[in-house]
């Protein structure tokens, strides 16, 4: 298992996974391409046996001087629930601490019925700030969640 920065050559597989998971709400390939340069962090998790298999990816952008926004996060359906999301998120938070010490907070939006994602975020001490009605195009509600990086010093998770 390895975690690497996403490159242009990865976008085909990443966009395919994005479409499979988020369907009509998926980010377009051109947006993904822009995010290669404009994101704070765009990492993939992959498995290398004979070939390299994409397992998932995560994207954070900087939306204020001291704040990052986790705007996309997906693990391939057949690998979900096996700890890869935990591994990728943990690695991203550690990477941010080491490389962007000015970032003090991370926010994200998650569908209110996405229990797996919410449990994962709570495991890392994200908390729900508020519910935003009709946040998504299809009028579903979202929770705004936030993590204060300064209050959580280290992740001691058994993976
Ligand atoms: C959300 C997502 C990224 C999580 O990645 P994952 O690899 O499936 O997550 P993990 O296996 O690391 O599990 C993380 C936590 O979720 C919870 N969880 C796992 N399976 C669960 C289930 N079936 N139901 C509820 N919670 C579950 C657990 O708390 C687990 O932690 P634990 O095993 O230490 O208790 C992934 O499931 C996914 O891509 N989902 C679809 C896209 C999505 O919703 N993205 C997030 C948008 S905000």
């Amino acid at each position: 298992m390895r975690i690497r920065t996403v490159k242009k050559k990865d976008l085909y597989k990443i966009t395919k996974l994005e479409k499979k998971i988020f369907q009509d709400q998926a980010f377009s390939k051109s947006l993904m391409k822009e995010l290669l340069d404009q994101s704070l962090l765009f990492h993939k998790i992959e498995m290398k046996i004979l070939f390299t298999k994409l397992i998932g990816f995560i994207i954070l952008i900087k939306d204020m001087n001291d704040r990052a926004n986790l705007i996309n996060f997906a693990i391939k359906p057949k690998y979900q629930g096996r700890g890869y999301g935990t591994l990728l998120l943990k690695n991203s938070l550690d990477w941010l601490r080491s490389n962007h010490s000015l970032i003090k907070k991370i926010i994200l939006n998650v569908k209110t019925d996405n229990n797996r994602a919410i449990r994962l975020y709570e495991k890392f001490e994200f908390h729900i700030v508020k519910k935003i009605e009709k946040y998504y195009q299809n009028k579903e509600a979202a929770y705004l969640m936030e993590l204060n990086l300064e209050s959580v010093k280290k992740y001691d998770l058994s993976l």
Side-chain angles (χ1 to χ4, degrees):
M1 200 58 53
R2 62 185 197 187
I3 294 172
R4 295 282 186 275
T5 297
V6 168
K7 301 272 165 39
K8 200 172 170 193
K9 67 176 169 46
D10 302 312
L11 284 189
Y12 175 74
K13 280 189 189 171
I14 291 214
T15 313
K16 212 170 133 194
L17 172 57
E18 168 78 4
K19 187 87 196 149
K20 184 172 183 170
I21 291 192
F22 298 107
Q23 295 158 19
D24 55 341
Q25 290 171 34
F27 283 16
S28 65
K29 191 166 180 193
S30 59
L31 175 56
M32 290 289 195
K33 211 167 164 184
E34 279 178 36
L35 288 166
L36 284 179
D37 301 321
Q38 291 170 19
S39 58
L40 194 59
L41 176 159
F42 192 168
H43 285 175
K44 60 178 174 174
I45 181 165
E46 59 188 19
M47 193 187 280
K48 194 166 192 292
I49 310 172
L50 227 47
F51 300 99
T52 307
K53 277 184 194 238
L54 176 71
I55 307 283
F57 66 90
I58 187 166
I59 310 174
L60 285 108
I61 57 166
K62 185 168 154 180
D63 68 352
M64 284 169 67
N65 277 343
D66 63 348
R67 195 175 81 175
N69 189 332
L70 196 172
I71 58 166
N72 207 328
F73 184 24
I75 297 291
K76 235 180 217 174
K78 72 172 177 178
Y79 296 108
Q80 288 175 10
R82 299 196 202 172
Y84 296 125
T86 301
L87 192 63
L88 186 55
L89 184 57
K90 179 187 183 307
N91 184 276
S92 304
L93 297 177
D94 287 342
W95 188 89
L96 271 188
R97 281 171 200 286
S98 313
N99 295 281
H100 292 277
S101 55
L102 288 178
I103 300 290
K104 307 290 182 214
K105 271 185 192 168
I106 301 178
I107 59 160
L108 60 87
N109 291 99
V110 58
K111 285 187 181 166
T112 52
D113 63 356
N114 192 346
N115 294 326
R116 178 175 286 178
I118 294 166
R119 292 261 298 274
L120 171 55
Y121 298 137
E122 284 178 342
K123 209 162 77 167
F124 286 89
E125 299 189 23
F126 277 87
H127 62 274
I128 294 172
V129 178
K130 61 176 175 178
K131 183 174 177 181
I132 309 172
E133 299 293 347
K134 298 181 188 158
Y135 177 81
Y136 296 99
Q137 265 172 10
N138 63 2
K139 307 268 189 277
E140 276 185 72
Y143 287 130
L144 170 67
M145 298 188 79
E146 184 180 280
L147 171 70
N148 190 336
L149 277 174
E150 286 182 318
S151 67
V152 186
K153 285 297 169 214
K154 180 166 157 266
Y155 300 104
D156 187 16
L157 297 163
S158 42
L159 297 171

